[in-house]
Amino acid sequence: MGSLQLQDFTAGWVGGAASVVVGHPLDTIKTRLQAGQGYGNTLSCVLTVYRNESVAGFFKGMSFPLASIAVYSSVVFGVFSNTQRLLGQLRHGDASHAPALVDVALASTVAGFISVGIGTPIDLVKIRLQMQTQPYSTANIKLKPTVPGFPVYQGPIHCFRTVLQKEGIAGIYRGMGAMLLRDVPGYCLYFIPYTFFCGWITPDGSISPNPFSIWLAGGVAGAISWGTATPMDVVKSRLQADGVYLNKYNGILDCILQSYKNEGLKVFFRGITVNAVRGFPTSSAMFLGYELSLKAMKRDQTETNP
């Protein structure tokens, strides 16, 4: 039982790393569209980034997510699987009992809550690093970066330290409320479709789903989850990008009202195409990495302990 619990965390780590490599370029585009200015639609944003920063621009700030998202996914999958197992034990007397809808929903909610504690600072640093080359402008103030194009933060650790010094713990956890409102329903709409879709397309009689079922179910779950999470994701991105130069939002409600007043309802669906499109490959990579490494570890275990 103990080793099984650890395996879920390890497999989540592998899945997280796989998803970053696949999804980071689209994540950069999403953040620029949601919190940047003058990018127009997705295609023009891709072309602008490519023209100004070449291919490297899409992978800006990737080493940090690669390290951090692997840890983050490890926690999410580890907490989700172990909570589900605990619920199986408590409710049905068997940890490996096929989960009911309520079990998956509860386990997703727990994973969502715990993940935000780790995820908020990670996302804040990632967004600040992605956004710091953007010229800053408001209705009446135009502020260029200290030197045009010269970054405020030298890297993730410097960014984390600077925010901590200037804004304290509250600064590091800026956008946490928006992230909770995004991730708790978001993880329910991630794990529930995955669990049931995977079960539905896996042929009867097979012990575990095949890679194609995992890929398809993971991709569909990711597209659903990210598509529906977009409005709160926009608010979270804006709250966290705010403060590279100047703070203009006083919290979730203020950010929603200001964004709505200035840009209308459509602003909350900014980046929805990128989110849904990105959700498919990143989640299929995440679930494939998770399930296949879990399967490999279990196989090793049965070979070493027959």
Side-chain angles (χ1 to χ4, degrees):
M1 177 80 181
S3 61
L4 259 183
Q5 290 173 313
L6 277 178
Q7 283 178 352
D8 287 313
F9 286 93
T10 312
W13 192 89
V14 174
S19 76
V20 174
V21 176
V22 172
H24 192 74
L26 284 167
D27 186 63
T28 299
I29 298 300
K30 179 210 77 164
T31 305
R32 297 276 178 99
L33 278 172
Q34 286 179 344
Q37 284 167 339
Y39 284 114
N41 60 18
T42 307
L43 184 63
S44 83
C45 184
V46 171
L47 295 172
T48 308
V49 173
Y50 180 70
R51 228 182 1 251
N52 297 342
E53 304 166 61
S54 85
V55 176
F58 298 105
F59 291 96
K60 192 164 272 180
M62 180 168 128
S63 57
F64 178 65
L66 194 57
S68 55
I69 287 175
V71 174
Y72 177 71
S73 303
S74 162
V75 171
V76 169
F77 277 90
V79 168
F80 172 76
S81 305
N82 286 304
T83 307
Q84 199 164 260
R85 218 175 277 127
L86 181 69
L87 288 168
Q89 188 71 54
L90 293 173
R91 284 164 47 86
H92 314 286
D94 173 16
S96 56
H97 188 277
L101 178 66
V102 67
D103 299 337
V104 183
L106 266 170
S108 306
T109 304
V110 173
F113 265 100
I114 289 177
S115 72
V116 167
I118 305 168
T120 307
I122 288 175
D123 260 21
L124 181 98
V125 170
K126 184 195 75 182
I127 284 176
R128 293 281 174 97
L129 290 173
Q130 283 172 329
M131 292 306 297
Q132 65 176 349
T133 52
Q134 305 301 296
Y136 184 97
S137 64
T138 63
N140 53 358
I141 310 165
K142 278 214 179 289
L143 276 177
K144 288 279 183 242
T146 8
V147 178
F150 186 79
V152 182
Y153 309 115
Q154 287 142 22
I157 300 187
H158 179 249
C159 176
F160 186 86
R161 275 214 314 266
T162 310
V163 175
L164 196 58
Q165 279 162 0
K166 282 190 183 165
E167 305 167 54
I169 295 287
I172 288 292
Y173 278 95
R174 189 175 176 80
M176 184 174 178
M179 198 161 175
L180 268 173
L181 291 171
R182 182 195 77 174
D183 282 2
V184 172
Y187 276 121
C188 289
L189 288 168
Y190 188 56
F191 285 116
I192 293 171
Y194 174 74
T195 305
F196 290 97
F197 199 58
C198 210
W200 182 54
I201 54 180
T202 300
D204 290 339
S206 58
I207 308 159
S208 57
N210 62 27
F212 176 74
S213 306
I214 297 166
W215 177 82
L216 190 60
V220 169
I224 292 171
S225 172
W226 270 107
T228 49
T230 299
M232 252 316 136
D233 191 44
V234 171
V235 175
K236 184 193 73 70
S237 289
R238 291 188 157 209
L239 282 170
Q240 292 186 322
D242 187 30
V244 176
Y245 305 111
L246 202 73
N247 283 341
K248 58 178 180 183
Y249 302 122
N250 297 323
I252 300 177
L253 195 60
D254 183 45
C255 180
I256 292 173
L257 294 172
Q258 278 200 50
S259 301
Y260 177 68
K261 198 170 74 193
N262 297 334
E263 297 164 79
L265 197 59
K266 69 176 191 303
V267 69
F268 299 109
F269 297 94
R270 195 179 274 184
I272 191 165
T273 319
V274 179
N275 263 347
V277 167
R278 180 185 71 124
F280 195 100
T282 52
S283 295
S284 48
M286 174 95 78
F287 278 107
L288 267 175
Y290 173 74
E291 298 280 12
L292 296 181
S293 53
L294 201 56
K295 201 182 271 186
M297 284 186 285
K298 283 179 180 166
R299 196 171 52 236
D300 283 353
Q301 201 180 19
T302 48
E303 281 166 11
T304 48
N305 319 324

